[in-house]
Amino acid sequence: MLMDTATEEIGHVEMLATMVARLLETSPVEAEKTAENGGDGGIVGSVLGGGDTQSAIINAAMNPQHAIVTGGGAAPRDSLGNPWNAVYIVASGNLLADMRFNVTAESQGRLQVARLYNLTQDAGVRDMFSFLLARDTMHQNQWLAAIEELKDDGLEDIPVPSNFPQELEMSSVAYKFQNFSEGTESQEGRWAQGPSMDGKGEFEYVAEPEAMGPEIDELDPPVEPRLYSTPKQQIQPSSS
Amino acid sequence: MLMDTATEEIGHVEMLATMVARLLETSPVEAEKTAENGGDGGIVGSVLGGGDTQSAIINAAMNPQHAIVTGGGAAPRDSLGNPWNAVYIVASGNLLADMRFNVTAESQGRLQVARLYNLTQDAGVRDMFSFLLARDTMHQNQWLAAIEELKDDGLEDIPVPSNFPQELEMSSVAYKFQNFSEGTESQEGRWAQGPSMDGKGEFEYVAEPEAMGPEIDELDPPVEPRLYSTPKQQIQPSSS
Amino acid sequence: MLMDTATEEIGHVEMLATMVARLLETSPVEAEKTAENGGDGGIVGSVLGGGDTQSAIINAAMNPQHAIVTGGGAAPRDSLGNPWNAVYIVASGNLLADMRFNVTAESQGRLQVARLYNLTQDAGVRDMFSFLLARDTMHQNQWLAAIEELKDDGLEDIPVPSNFPQELEMSSVAYKFQNFSEGTESQEGRWAQGPSMDGKGEFEYVAEPEAMGPEIDELDPPVEPRLYSTPKQQIQPSSS
Amino acid sequence: MLMDTATEEIGHVEMLATMVARLLETSPVEAEKTAENGGDGGIVGSVLGGGDTQSAIINAAMNPQHAIVTGGGAAPRDSLGNPWNAVYIVASGNLLADMRFNVTAESQGRLQVARLYNLTQDAGVRDMFSFLLARDTMHQNQWLAAIEELKDDGLEDIPVPSNFPQELEMSSVAYKFQNFSEGTESQEGRWAQGPSMDGKGEFEYVAEPEAMGPEIDELDPPVEPRLYSTPKQQIQPSSS
Amino acid sequence: MLMDTATEEIGHVEMLATMVARLLETSPVEAEKTAENGGDGGIVGSVLGGGDTQSAIINAAMNPQHAIVTGGGAAPRDSLGNPWNAVYIVASGNLLADMRFNVTAESQGRLQVARLYNLTQDAGVRDMFSFLLARDTMHQNQWLAAIEELKDDGLEDIPVPSNFPQELEMSSVAYKFQNFSEGTESQEGRWAQGPSMDGKGEFEYVAEPEAMGPEIDELDPPVEPRLYSTPKQQIQPSSS
Amino acid sequence: MLMDTATEEIGHVEMLATMVARLLETSPVEAEKTAENGGDGGIVGSVLGGGDTQSAIINAAMNPQHAIVTGGGAAPRDSLGNPWNAVYIVASGNLLADMRFNVTAESQGRLQVARLYNLTQDAGVRDMFSFLLARDTMHQNQWLAAIEELKDDGLEDIPVPSNFPQELEMSSVAYKFQNFSEGTESQEGRWAQGPSMDGKGEFEYVAEPEAMGPEIDELDPPVEPRLYSTPKQQIQPSSS
């Protein structure tokens, strides 16, 4: 299933790259403007050929570095020029944790496509966005289904990671909502009462949480003089 | 509720900073080794004072840059020295998308604490991890509860964003699982049959997806000669 | 005092976030243009609703990625989209070194606000800048006062760190200005004569500095052949 | 003067590069260990030649990527491998702001060299650090002298930038210390009373600052539905 | 030779910085527009003084952060604001590898200048580009000459690094082109037949490469349960 | 051909990932040490299970963040934890420029594998390096062959880009080597005499280059006072 979706996503990248190239070539919207500038060869040609470079760049709303560095080819960068990087990959080995990330990524992704949809009136681009929105709908559903299956098969459960022995966590605070703001408005939510979502506890609301753990004396060890941080009282210069 | 949790998380950061400082001072485990090296003032003192710096650093498994730049204070960096940065924040304005991110973050976080738990035998550190594991249990439950509430209140739903008119997406592919790998193993999953998780469709399995959309001719416009990309046939040098 | 200022600075961030939101909503300056475009809902609405996206974006001088990723909310990024990160924090543990950094940061900050002041004619924005300029005036004064206090209390002094035994530094070059450029114009400055600013030496001008230290033979060890750097003479291929 | 110091700093970089190369070659401290491992050609040779790579790397406390990528040459990176980059340069055009940055940089720099001094017992390295400490002493004094000169010449003054007309800032808060923490401990400092450091005002302490500016209604514009952020009440899906 | 070229390149940086400053001051092209806006002091002045900031910024196609942070001085950043950094330096110690990098850098550089040439009609700027294009022509030739010399002197050769004993590489695949795509179009190239470029082998085309190496069983060790990755069958929670 | 090589390189990544996993599992070299520590489950198990975490980590020379974040899976990062990113991709559209980059990348890559070869005695790892070294030999040859073909087909030539009209560059400096260092040692090289490598000129040596271009007056425009950079003489504060 992972292989199927990975392959499909690579296909989406190709679709986007093709769309970018087509738009740079001769988008219906730009054709007229380009003609006015006596340009040929699409937006890039217009940018290159115009006597008035600045207005050409601005008409095309184009990042000039793109043409200069890539010659107009697709670049694996975001719209501010930040390169794609492996920090975007989340792969912890725990499938429930990672599937939840997938649901998240598809959510942000579909949201951004929906916003982009409203930024253009180009019918061809909207067609492609319409396709991508539908596939993101499927993918949100698919990862949620995979999560159900993981739970049904008894391999993972809430809370992630479910194979850590839950008796080793401090059970007294595992299902308490602690109020740390003025008022107790947060008392109203589903998170403050009723059975917990993992079915293993009961939500409880703590309006005024008390400090826990041993009383700790102020951190006030004798200053290590050879680090030359500022001491609380005058000391003699020293070195090791 | 957001304020409560934000405040609590700041408290966790303080707890971790205190833990780091205490460990650098005189952790029970390290005291003995330090003594052997004739050190005083905890691990840092041992590093500074030892005649054999390298073994001292290695005994302490310490990043020397930490002491040199911060003087031993807490630094908002990960264990490889990468600074905390605002890319870690996800705030799209769509609460279902963002709550899903919170569930994800709590999952990866609890998983990492569980792994760290096994990397130490120090009783005090394990106590604190035990507390953090319990709070991450609560937080996973809490964000899942908030997601339920958003849906119950009719403000958001699957697929995110639910306020985008779903009739504008290409409905023919909105609930189809497309097989793009050898074999049809992926047919077995919950994602390939039955009602979709959003309750708005029926999963369908496509064993051999067909290419969609209009046939697109090869991208082969006349090369824009003033970008000096390599042409397919010899051309005359030119400039605008 | 640190807590007071930290809290105030968080307040300033909130003020700026509010200002950004108000401007995106309906700034006086933009209202007219928006109306012309038949827009509603402020700048963002105009960007979304316009038939001519590019001119709408340009009229608003807006970064489109902002709306797509955050939905128009404040983002902890600079105007080029670079995320805030912890490299901006300097905390060495030596208070004189760190207070000097604070003076520097308030100086660059007030300078940038002053430049921004001239980039807008919006009366409300200028009011807020006027407030921020005054607070930066206070903060420059405040950190300079804190520096005086550190010195008066005998906790730190010039040169930082003053607790390093100064007799361990090479005193012969501790107060000499060395001329490394053509001419001796640099002789005129305060740094080339008179008592040093720390009151511990006398500035001296060296018009033609001589090379110091032991004569070092050219770095020319036998090449380590197993690193495959280029040797000075032909050698036999080898491996360990 | 800037040219003199820039040239000198380049010289310091060369000294450090030479030091690194010498240490990798045959430092007195390491020679013995290397011999035990049957190594030749210094630390790098030992790392390459040893039958037990891991212990060789650890003995040398060496970053293996350094040898693999650079062949042992100097690399403009910090000890965690982060490359030098132009963000480290601060040049605003306002000389008082920039000289203050120079004072800061020399302070952090001398502090770090002082800490490094205690991390080694190698006499040759300590000699070089002794030289660098002295030059940092000079440079701290020198930039402070330059700051005095800028003020004496009437070109810049506190607060930076002094050429911004100070009557345009909100004078009522330009010299007030505002208490935003519990208690009034911060009242004791030099920053809370007496003439301000710029000689243009009098410090004043505000124990309980009041909210300023116009009362602002909660930011609650009608939600722009085409951004698909979560609304406060149910709305109909829509698109432009 | 390296010193000559390094010095020349620093000169080019100075030329570019001067060009930028002159353009910001009063470029022939902009003078007229500036005048229309009632501006003085060049583009920056126009940006600062205009009643309509946005159009002024857009007319100048200027990054406003540049003026705010640097005051209009040159900044060692690319046109998207990314700082110069030491990752751009490649210095492996193997001169043939590094000279090849130099050829590459001069190629990309001359290509980008050629594209920039077409983006402006300013005669002065084109003059300077004409100079830089010629120097890049020289430099491409020069590094290619240096490569020839390295080979002629017998210090390096193809394949880099030539001092690694070539008999230690798996000679059976050292000169084979392996076809991993549909069809055998790649058979036509020079890389698929005839003597290899290093003169040490004969190119050979493998239309259907076979899997090599020992058959490796699926990676399926018993899962390490204390890492809490998802197991293949249900397991008992555990901890060390 | 590009597809063939891209596919092969993906295969190499898989080989490396498999190698890493196998080594973490039970490498012959480590097995003994692990046993001594009473460990099971390979290196990671030993790290988790040991009573003495630090020595376990050090014995394994392992980055602990790797296990904590990925659970031991392969991560697309370098050995210092820097993520793979798209800046590593160079694709300008000019094939000669890009093929030269490929030659460079294969050179640095083969050099690094050769150095790694000497860092291990593990026979299995050396076998794989032996395979990779041979393939890098092929790839260096292959890209050099592709460069020849580009030239033979008349599509590109030296200097890159050859389709820029060379008469537009300043021909007087296109083949001159300019001496900018002390002495004239650089006169000896191939780059200082004889026909240029592109066959279009004759190298010429300029021992004492003269300044070129128009005499430029010092950059000394009236200071733009609203940027608050430091002026040369006292000026009145001003604002727009």
Side-chain angles (χ1 to χ4, degrees), chain A residues 95-96 99 142-158 162 200, chain B residues 188-191 193-195 197 203, chain E residues 230-235:
Chain A
L95 289 187
L96 183 42
M99 294 295 173
Q142 158 188 333
W143 300 119
L144 289 168
I147 286 174
E148 287 316 299
E149 190 142 310
L150 275 173
K151 289 190 208 160
D152 292 348
D153 293 352
L155 297 180
E156 295 284 352
D157 210 340
I158 315 175
S162 54
K200 298 173 182 165
Chain B
E188 304 304 317
R190 174 69 184 80
W191 47 79
Q193 56 206 312
M197 312 309 284
F203 283 133
Chain E
T230 305
K232 298 210 167 174
Q233 284 88 29
Q234 289 190 36
I235 57 171

Side-chain angles (χ1 to χ4, degrees), chain A residues 76-148:
Chain A
R77 296 172 172 266
D78 72 16
S79 62
L80 291 173
N82 300 306
W84 189 92
N85 72 74
V87 170
Y88 301 159
I89 296 177
V90 172
S92 69
N94 182 295
L95 289 187
L96 183 42
D98 293 349
M99 294 295 173
R100 283 173 167 181
F101 178 78
N102 289 353
V103 175
T104 298
E106 301 282 358
S107 304
Q108 302 285 346
R110 191 170 183 273
L111 176 62
Q112 292 178 13
V113 175
R115 286 169 174 168
L116 281 166
Y117 188 95
N118 286 325
L119 278 169
T120 185
Q121 303 293 333
D122 183 296
V125 174
R126 285 196 154 192
D127 268 4
M128 203 184 75
F129 285 164
S130 160
F131 171 77
L132 291 176
L133 286 159
R135 293 311 293 158
D136 282 359
T137 293
M138 176 60 195
H139 288 161
Q140 285 186 32
N141 277 282
Q142 158 188 333
W143 300 119
L144 289 168
I147 286 174
E148 287 316 299

Side-chain angles (χ1 to χ4, degrees), chain A residues 48 53 65 93-95 156 163, chain E residues 30 80 118-119 228 230 237:
Chain A
L48 290 173
T53 310
Q65 201 193 43
N94 182 295
L95 289 187
E156 295 284 352
N163 282 326
Chain E
E30 293 301 325
L80 291 173
N118 286 326
L119 277 170
Y228 310 115
T230 305

Side-chain angles (χ1 to χ4, degrees), chain C residues 8 15 131 135, chain D residues 170 172-173 176-180 205-215:
Chain C
E8 180 179 345
M15 287 168 62
F131 171 79
R135 294 311 293 160
Chain D
M170 195 182 292
S172 58
V173 296
K176 281 188 181 139
F177 186 95
Q178 298 181 314
N179 178 41
F180 285 114
Y205 188 77
V206 185
E208 296 182 4
E210 294 186 12
M212 299 190 353
E215 191 80 13

Side-chain angles (χ1 to χ4, degrees), chain F:
Chain F
M1 187 262 267
L2 290 172
M3 287 297 167
D4 293 335
T5 308
T7 304
E8 180 179 345
E9 295 289 358
I10 290 174
H12 292 181
V13 171
E14 280 182 50
M15 286 168 63
L16 289 166
T18 303
M19 181 191 77
V20 168
R22 287 268 143 160
L23 287 172
L24 288 177
E25 204 183 324
T26 47
S27 79
V29 173
E30 293 301 326
E32 213 171 346
K33 281 185 196 160
T34 303
E36 284 167 23
N37 290 327
D40 57 330
I43 290 175
V44 175
S46 164
V47 169
L48 291 173
D52 179 355
T53 310
Q54 277 130 359
S55 65
I57 288 176
I58 289 163
N59 280 344
M62 191 180 173
N63 170 359
Q65 201 192 44
H66 187 188
I68 295 167
V69 173
T70 70
R77 295 171 173 266
D78 73 14
S79 62
L80 291 173
N82 299 307
W84 189 93
N85 72 74
V87 170
Y88 301 158
I89 297 176
V90 171
S92 70
N94 182 294
L95 290 187
L96 182 44
D98 293 349
M99 295 294 174
R100 282 173 168 180
F101 177 78
N102 289 353
V103 175
T104 298
E106 302 282 358
S107 304
Q108 301 285 347
R110 192 171 183 273
L111 176 61
Q112 293 178 12
V113 175
R115 285 170 175 169
L116 280 166
Y117 188 95
N118 286 325
L119 278 170
T120 184
Q121 303 293 333
D122 183 295
V125 174
R126 286 197 154 191
D127 267 4
M128 203 184 74
F129 286 164
S130 160
F131 171 79
L132 292 175
L133 286 158
R135 294 311 293 160
D136 283 357
T137 294
M138 175 60 196
H139 288 161
Q140 285 186 32
N141 277 282
Q142 158 188 333
W143 301 119
L144 290 168
I147 286 173
E148 287 316 300
E149 190 142 309
L150 276 172
K151 290 188 206 162
D152 292 348
D153 293 351
L155 297 179
E156 296 283 351
D157 210 340
I158 315 176
V160 166
S162 55
N163 282 327
F164 182 84
Q166 206 164 348
E167 65 273 14
L168 293 179
E169 72 178 21
M170 193 182 292
S171 59
S172 59
V173 295
Y175 297 101
K176 280 186 183 145
F177 187 95
Q178 298 181 314
N179 178 40
F180 286 113
S181 58
E182 287 181 44
T184 55
E185 259 184 283
S186 51
Q187 187 166 22
E188 305 304 316
R190 174 67 186 81
W191 46 81
Q193 57 208 312
S196 66
M197 312 310 284
D198 60 10
K200 300 172 182 166
E202 191 81 14
F203 283 134
E204 200 178 322
Y205 189 77
V206 185
E208 297 183 4
E210 294 188 13
M212 301 190 349
E215 191 79 14
I216 299 189
D217 307 329
E218 194 190 346
L219 266 176
D220 200 7
V223 165
E224 164 53 65
R226 291 162 299 178
L227 281 177
Y228 311 114
S229 296
T230 305
K232 299 210 167 173
Q233 285 87 32
Q234 289 190 35
I235 57 171
Q236 289 304 310
S238 70
S239 164
S240 63

Side-chain angles (χ1 to χ4, degrees), chain A residues 29-30 33 43 57-61 78-80 82 108 111-113 115-116 118-121 126 225 227-240, chain C residues 47-54 57-58 63-65 67-71 77 80-82 92-96 150 153-156 161-166 168:
Chain A
V29 174
E30 293 300 327
K33 282 184 196 160
I43 291 176
I57 288 175
I58 289 164
N59 281 344
D78 72 16
S79 62
L80 291 173
N82 300 306
Q108 302 285 346
L111 176 62
Q112 292 178 13
V113 175
R115 286 169 174 168
L116 281 166
N118 286 325
L119 278 169
T120 185
Q121 303 293 333
R126 285 196 154 192
L227 281 178
Y228 311 114
S229 296
T230 306
K232 298 211 166 172
Q233 284 88 33
Q234 289 189 36
I235 56 172
Q236 289 304 309
S238 70
S239 164
S240 63
Chain C
V47 169
L48 291 173
D52 179 354
T53 310
Q54 276 131 359
I57 288 176
I58 288 163
N63 170 358
Q65 200 193 44
I68 295 167
V69 173
T70 71
R77 296 172 173 266
L80 291 174
N82 299 307
S92 70
N94 183 294
L95 290 186
L96 184 42
L150 275 173
D153 294 351
L155 297 180
E156 294 284 352
S162 56
N163 282 326
F164 182 83
Q166 207 165 348
L168 294 180

